[in-house]
């Protein structure tokens, strides 16, 4: 169980649990895949600048969600909960 404490922490598990229950299925899948791609791109950009070994996955995914929610509050944007 070294993987669970080193690579995948309790914060990641709780974030994914709340993320999965907070959205309808189609919206969850779209946001989940998009946030994973966003996290991968950010980590590849940071890897060139830093020599860090880990990726703060839950933190980058939450940053992506903050960006998505801020766009949703703009006028004439579709709701994330209507899919």
């Amino acid at each position: 169980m070294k993987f669970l404490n080193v690579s995948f922490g309790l914060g990641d598990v709780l974030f994914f649990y709340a993320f999965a229950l907070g959205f309808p299925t189609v919206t969850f899948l779209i946001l989940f895949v998009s946030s994973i791609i966003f996290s991968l791109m950010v980590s590849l950009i940071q890897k060139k600048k830093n020599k860090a070994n880990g990726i703060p996955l839950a933190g980058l995914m939450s940053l992506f969600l903050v960006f998505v929610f801020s766009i949703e509050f703009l006028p004439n944007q579709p709701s994330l909960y209507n899919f």
Side-chain angles (χ1 to χ4, degrees):
M1 291 300 242
K2 189 175 182 180
F3 167 77
L4 192 59
N5 292 330
V6 175
S7 298
F8 199 74
L10 182 62
D12 295 321
V13 173
L14 293 175
F15 178 77
F16 291 146
Y17 184 71
F19 192 37
L21 293 178
F23 297 103
T25 306
V26 174
T27 304
F28 166 71
L29 290 174
I30 292 169
L31 287 175
F32 186 75
V33 170
S34 300
S35 65
I36 292 289
I37 292 170
F38 172 78
S39 299
L40 178 65
M41 290 187 328
V42 169
S43 67
L44 288 175
I45 291 169
Q46 278 187 335
K47 190 174 185 178
K48 291 180 181 180
K49 294 179 181 179
N50 285 342
K51 301 295 182 196
N53 292 332
I55 299 173
L57 186 61
L60 289 174
M61 290 177 77
S62 62
L63 184 67
F64 178 79
L65 283 178
V66 166
F67 178 69
V68 168
F69 277 129
S70 64
I71 289 176
E72 185 190 15
F73 288 125
L74 293 174
N76 300 324
Q77 296 297 322
S79 174
L80 291 172
Y81 300 101
N82 288 337
F83 289 109

